[in-house]
Amino acid sequence: MKKLTALFLTVIMLCAMLAGCSGSSSAGQGTSAAPAPADSADAGAAGTEHPEETLTVLVPPIIPTYSDLIPDLKAEFEGMYPWITLEFVTTSWEDYEDKLNVMVNAGSPPDITYPNNSITKIQQYLSSGMLLDLTEYVSDDVLADYDEGALEFFRNGDALYGLPMWVSPYTLGGNREYLEDAKIDWKKIQEEGWTFEEFAAEAAKGVKDDVYGFTFACAGVTATDLLDLLCCCANMENPIDENGRYAYTDENFLKCLQFVRGLIDAGVMPKESSSVDAGMRWNLMLTGNTMITGKGLPNFELLAANNNRLLEEDPGSAVEGSRHLEYVGIPMPTLEGCDYVTAGGVSGMMAFRQKEEPTPEHIANIILALNYLTSGKVDAEICTLGAASPANASGRAEMAWAQEKTGIILNEDNAAFNARSNAAIYKPNITMTEEQSDKVTRIKEETILPLFQALLANEVTPEAMYEQVCEAAIAQFGEDGVR
């Protein structure tokens, strides 16, 4: 029966690809397998051959200008597939989690969304039964365009829940002027990395009366990001390791906690780190109040360059109190004896189902939309605007076009560093079960999150936090289920 269903879907998608007509947009065709141009009569005929459907796409600001692209994306896609209407619902990053949770819990999730972390989202919603498994329906031709390593970030077991758009590592960023004034060889660090101890010593050189050596967003949606990234560089890339054991009972977890507390105690990080959110973190960088910031993304180079332009052309529109910033990407420090592994990594679009059993026609439409939004010129332009690397061959093939269109080319040193970081992106554990995922989430939300905030505020010691995390983990997984 599955084979017959898959065959039926293949026929539907083939008809769709032959029937659509391409529109004209700033984004261009979404994939190298996009439909050939057709006249309006063909498009009209195509619209009568398929049941009309509206697909909801919930998107946070994937890139700052993504909302500006939506009208052209919508117009082109609907011109290619006239029976499908894309309804984009935009939201801020701050509101995204709550909005998505409300929609899923109400049993009416978006058909497609852009998660800030696909692995986490898949694990979070596995037990809801609302994820849409595309495994039996995506053709080999479509899958062949995407990098296999990137596809892993949208899998759980044998199931596939979305398609990747780009690779973008989570790193750190530095103020080049401050780094060089402190005699820090940032180019060597870009190439060779540094340990926890080396980072602490170097970051301390940037501390002045009104300047921190290091700031990190540790409030709101980024509350545990610093710890997550450090764990990735301390041989704990996944909360459940390859042997199926909970990883954060490893003594390396304690060393990560001690490292963070040590930076605050030394005055390298603000004592108020628990209240520093993403916006404040970046403002501190732009106003010259920190030498190193995190988490850093490749597109921060573009954000800094734009603010520099405003300072010259329209100072009133620049960030208040900001100054010229030449942003350089630098790696997260690595625990002594561990390999450098980059957290973050792969982003894209994932699919949900509604309460009703999805029809083959509906799943085919979802795949058409996913493929369009994550590949070809659409992907290339978004990746260029976001300083990311396409996670598919069709996107990479259009990067020269996108760079010429946007005029955006990254600094040579940063581009080389980004490429090295992309190559070091962690391999997700796609064998985590629903039960394990639920337990991991419970430990994180009930124990790690509040205790890490208390650690930042100096209300609990690293040792006390580690002990409580171990107790919570053993309670969930048993003594044999932890490291």
Side-chain angles (χ1 to χ4, degrees):
M1 187 66 180
K2 286 186 176 179
K3 291 183 178 179
L4 289 173
T5 302
L7 178 60
F8 180 54
L9 272 170
T10 301
V11 172
I12 289 175
M13 292 184 67
L14 181 58
C15 291
M17 294 173 68
L18 291 174
C21 67
S22 70
S24 57
S25 81
S26 63
Q29 288 185 349
T31 169
S32 57
D39 60 31
S40 57
D42 290 335
T48 62
E49 293 173 358
H50 303 271
E52 293 186 358
E53 181 173 21
T54 296
L55 300 179
T56 302
V57 185
L58 176 66
V59 284
I62 299 171
I63 54 173
T65 57
Y66 189 80
S67 59
D68 297 333
L69 301 179
I70 287 176
D72 284 340
L73 295 177
K74 178 178 170 64
E76 179 173 73
F77 180 83
E78 293 172 3
M80 294 159 64
Y81 310 108
W83 62 94
I84 308 174
T85 298
L86 289 185
E87 181 181 328
F88 286 88
V89 178
T90 59
T91 178
S92 67
W93 278 117
E94 289 75 18
D95 295 336
Y96 173 74
E97 297 287 337
D98 289 341
K99 186 179 288 287
L100 181 58
N101 283 337
V102 167
M103 295 172 78
V104 173
N105 291 336
S108 56
D111 296 294
I112 295 170
T113 191
Y114 176 94
N116 56 340
N117 185 317
S118 57
I119 288 292
T120 300
K121 282 291 170 288
I122 289 171
Q123 293 166 353
Q124 178 180 348
Y125 293 119
L126 267 176
S127 60
S128 73
M130 302 304 290
L131 296 174
L132 180 59
D133 184 4
L134 308 171
T135 310
E136 298 288 335
Y137 310 107
V138 183
S139 71
D140 291 341
D141 287 344
V142 169
L143 286 181
D145 183 38
Y146 295 87
D147 301 340
E148 185 56 42
L151 283 168
E152 293 290 288
F153 282 78
F154 289 85
R155 296 188 189 279
N156 188 274
D158 295 328
L160 178 69
Y161 297 109
L163 295 174
M165 293 173 63
W166 67 22
V167 181
S168 185
Y170 294 159
T171 60
L172 301 178
N175 181 316
R176 178 173 178 171
E177 177 187 349
Y178 285 6
L179 292 169
E180 293 179 350
D181 285 347
K183 303 295 188 290
I184 297 173
D185 190 347
W186 60 269
K187 287 190 178 184
K188 180 180 179 182
I189 293 169
Q190 278 190 335
E191 295 174 359
E192 300 178 9
W194 44 4
T195 64
F196 281 12
E197 291 76 13
E198 290 168 340
F199 175 88
E202 296 290 78
K205 296 178 182 178
V207 177
K208 299 178 184 177
D209 290 341
D210 59 346
V211 179
Y212 294 104
F214 176 49
T215 57
F216 202 101
C218 297
V221 296
T222 58
T224 63
D225 281 7
L226 175 56
L227 187 55
D228 294 341
L229 269 61
L230 289 173
C231 286
C232 212
C233 291
N235 197 29
M236 297 175 289
E237 297 94 322
N238 294 285
I240 300 296
D241 67 19
E242 64 277 6
N243 297 313
R245 300 174 303 178
Y246 185 75
Y248 296 163
T249 52
D250 193 301
E251 287 189 3
N252 285 355
F253 188 77
L254 172 59
K255 294 176 182 178
C256 291
L257 301 177
Q258 292 169 332
F259 173 62
V260 174
R261 189 62 242 173
L263 292 175
I264 297 174
D265 290 340
V268 173
M269 287 180 68
K271 286 184 172 60
E272 306 80 10
S273 287
S274 61
S275 63
V276 176
D277 62 18
M280 185 185 304
R281 168 274 320 263
W282 185 236
N283 279 356
L284 288 170
M285 190 70 171
L286 291 177
T287 56
N289 294 117
T290 188
M291 180 175 70
I292 300 171
T293 194
K295 61 186 175 189
L297 295 165
N299 74 314
F300 283 14
E301 177 188 337
L302 305 182
L303 298 178
N306 183 61
N307 195 69
N308 293 340
R309 179 184 60 79
L310 292 175
L311 286 171
E312 295 178 3
E313 300 176 2
D314 185 13
S317 298
V319 171
E320 183 177 358
S322 60
R323 50 188 293 179
H324 183 88
L325 168 65
E326 187 170 348
Y327 181 91
V328 295
I330 45 181
M332 285 290 298
T334 301
L335 182 64
E336 187 74 39
C338 298
D339 294 330
Y340 172 60
V341 179
T342 309
V346 178
S347 297
M349 297 285 187
M350 62 184 288
F352 284 94
R353 53 168 292 170
Q354 307 300 316
K355 291 180 179 179
E356 300 78 13
E357 187 67 23
T359 65
E361 294 91 343
H362 172 72
I363 298 176
N365 290 341
I366 290 283
I367 292 171
L368 289 173
L370 283 171
N371 188 212
Y372 171 82
L373 292 170
T374 62
S375 63
K377 285 187 175 181
V378 171
D379 192 31
E381 183 168 9
I382 292 171
C383 285
T384 302
L385 292 169
S389 303
N392 49 68
S394 63
R396 288 190 290 272
E398 301 291 353
M399 283 299 284
W401 166 85
Q403 289 171 348
E404 181 178 358
K405 179 180 185 296
T406 62
I408 295 175
I409 299 178
L410 294 183
N411 169 276
E412 185 176 337
D413 291 316
N414 284 343
F417 165 68
N418 294 336
R420 285 191 292 273
S421 296
N422 287 342
I425 285 176
Y426 81 105
K427 183 177 180 180
N429 180 353
I430 63 172
T431 63
M432 189 184 300
T433 66
E434 292 183 28
E435 182 182 7
Q436 288 174 326
S437 175
D438 288 344
K439 291 179 178 180
V440 166
T441 300
R442 190 174 302 120
I443 294 170
K444 183 166 188 176
E445 293 181 351
E446 297 178 0
T447 305
I448 292 178
L449 176 58
L451 284 176
F452 188 59
Q453 292 299 298
L455 177 78
L456 294 171
N458 204 22
E459 296 170 355
V460 66
T461 66
E463 292 75 18
M465 175 175 173
Y466 175 65
E467 183 177 345
Q468 291 185 56
V469 171
C470 288
E471 290 175 357
I474 291 172
Q476 292 294 330
F477 292 99
E479 292 190 0
D480 294 334
V482 302
R483 279 191 183 178

